[in-house]
Amino acid sequence: MSIPYRIEPQPQVTTRSIGNRRVGIIDVPMYGGITTDEDTEYALLLADLPSALESAARLAEAWHVQHEMTRVEAYAVIQGHLAGITPEDAAMELILQHAAELEAIKREWVREFQSRRLAAVTALLRIRLGVTDQTIAAVRKLPRTIRDGLYGVWQEEQAAEAEDIEPLTEDDVKKPQPENELSASDGTKSSGSCAIGSPVPSIAKPTGESSAASCGVRIAACEPSNVRRLPLPNDPSPA
């Protein structure tokens, strides 16, 4: 039994070329979003990774006991340090007292961030491109141009999902298109049905991988809702 859509989906599949002549070129189909299988594969790849959030929570608990501050206050200081926010004097005192623990958490966070990038690329290769035996270890060895390009596809597809598309009104649905109007997809005359086009998302251009900050994206750009993460102070999305 088919899904009872009020308006049938109107996919616009395009292709993105990744790479160059030196490292090779891959054509990646663009669907306007991450597929369910890709999101599931991504979550499974991340399932056994250590969580920087857990380490930060343990440190916040230790500060709660040692410094008689709330866990939320302690966690906010840790978040601010990871985000590179200039702390107030009281927070700086804590940071200086616990510099080793904070730097250990920062290293964990960077490793987790990089693992998420690699998992996203691996999921795309396995599901969208059919390279079912691809592993995270193999993705680490890919040319950077290919790896970053594929991660850019992941980001762009996620951004396309987040775009607000104004829903059609009842009048829009019932209103026939002019018979002489050309279809945007093939240049033929419209059948009179209401075509729904998806706006073209902007292309995300990731930079280096040396640190989380160098990528230019927040963690939320490459994770499903069921994976825990360490949110930053300027990141409004839920953990």
Side-chain angles (χ1 to χ4, degrees), residues 18-177:
I18 300 301
N20 55 46
R21 291 184 181 275
R22 184 175 60 82
V23 300
I25 298 175
I26 302 173
D27 290 332
V28 184
M30 304 294 290
Y31 300 146
I34 302 299
T35 69
T36 300
D37 285 344
E38 288 165 351
D39 188 65
T40 300
E41 190 73 14
Y42 174 76
L44 291 173
L45 286 166
L46 293 179
D48 297 326
L49 288 178
S51 170
L53 172 62
E54 293 177 0
S55 298
R58 285 193 295 270
L59 184 57
E61 177 65 28
W63 288 6
H64 165 66
V65 174
Q66 181 179 351
H67 299 289
E68 298 182 349
M69 59 194 305
T70 69
R71 297 174 183 85
V72 173
E73 290 170 340
Y75 188 63
V77 174
I78 297 169
Q79 283 184 309
H81 178 68
L82 292 178
I85 297 174
T86 302
E88 297 180 355
D89 290 346
M92 178 58 78
E93 180 69 25
L94 281 173
I95 291 170
L96 293 175
Q97 287 185 45
H98 300 276
E101 296 101 311
L102 286 170
E103 288 305 299
I105 291 174
K106 181 180 287 187
R107 286 191 291 272
E108 285 185 36
W109 181 76
V110 172
R111 283 193 291 268
E112 182 178 340
F113 182 85
Q114 296 301 329
S115 295
R116 291 178 184 277
R117 288 168 57 89
L118 296 173
V121 172
T122 304
L124 276 181
L125 286 168
R126 286 183 179 181
I127 305 301
R128 188 165 303 199
L129 296 177
V131 191
T132 55
D133 61 347
Q134 190 64 239
T135 64
I136 288 181
V139 168
R140 289 183 188 275
K141 299 177 182 179
L142 286 175
R144 184 168 176 169
T145 302
I146 296 291
R147 189 175 62 245
D148 284 0
L150 288 171
Y151 184 64
V153 167
W154 181 273
Q155 289 181 296
E156 183 177 344
E157 293 287 68
Q158 284 197 318
E161 291 177 339
E163 288 182 351
D164 292 328
I165 300 177
E166 185 176 350
L168 295 178
T169 65
E170 193 69 26
D171 290 339
D172 291 330
V173 175
K174 294 178 180 178
K175 181 180 179 181
Q177 294 183 356

